[in-house]
Amino acid sequence: MTAPEDAIRARRKLTNKLIAAKDAQRLRPFFSKDMVLISGDGGVLSGVEAVVAAFSGQFRDPGFVNYVRTSGEVTLDQAGDRASEQGCWTALWRGTDGDTTMAGTYLAAWRKVTGQWVIERELYITLSEG
């Protein structure tokens, strides 16, 4: 059986692959229905529909290249059905004036639902942009 920490890291890697493929609809099962995401600029997205719609919009932007989130520490609660994930993220956008990169840290709250880990909260902090 896969350790919960490894399962969460594997699911994070899968979301990175789906983002690289610009496949917003396939991201849906990775989020809880009541998902809340706070972006690096402080914007708040509430609910899976809003999060998937935001990804869809970004993927349609011809300048969008990718987001990559790299898991760091994953910590489980005592019951083993909730976890926190801390990591680093990067973003790349291509424009006519050159590339824009952004980077920072993130914190995600995961919950085990019917045997599968889903993200219920994410907070992104932008630490560099240029």
Side-chain angles (χ1 to χ4, degrees):
M1 188 161 133
T2 304
E5 297 91 336
D6 294 335
I8 288 168
R9 285 187 178 94
R11 287 187 61 83
R12 179 61 72 188
K13 286 180 183 177
L14 284 171
T15 63
N16 284 336
K17 287 180 182 180
L18 294 171
I19 291 169
K22 299 182 181 180
D23 195 343
Q25 292 306 316
R26 289 190 53 209
L27 287 168
R28 184 180 305 279
F30 292 86
F31 303 124
S32 67
K33 290 180 183 180
D34 61 348
M35 164 73 175
V36 175
L37 186 149
I38 302 174
S39 64
D41 67 0
V44 178
L45 298 170
S46 294
V48 67
E49 297 304 325
V51 172
V52 170
F55 275 114
S56 293
Q58 290 173 332
F59 296 166
R60 285 190 301 273
D61 181 335
F64 175 80
V65 176
N66 202 1
Y67 291 127
V68 175
R69 287 85 41 85
T70 304
S71 295
E73 185 176 342
V74 175
T75 306
L76 267 72
D77 74 346
Q78 191 170 6
D81 58 1
R82 295 203 66 208
S84 70
E85 173 199 12
Q86 299 174 18
C88 300
W89 65 271
T90 60
L92 176 61
W93 297 78
R94 291 230 156 86
T96 55
D97 333 357
D99 292 352
T100 299
T101 58
M102 297 167 53
T105 59
Y106 71 90
L107 176 63
W110 292 79
R111 181 176 64 210
K112 199 169 192 181
V113 177
T114 60
Q116 196 64 263
W117 289 98
V118 295
I119 301 166
E120 60 182 357
R121 305 286 183 263
E122 282 187 311
L123 167 64
Y124 288 89
I125 303 166
T126 302
L127 298 174
S128 68
E129 188 172 347

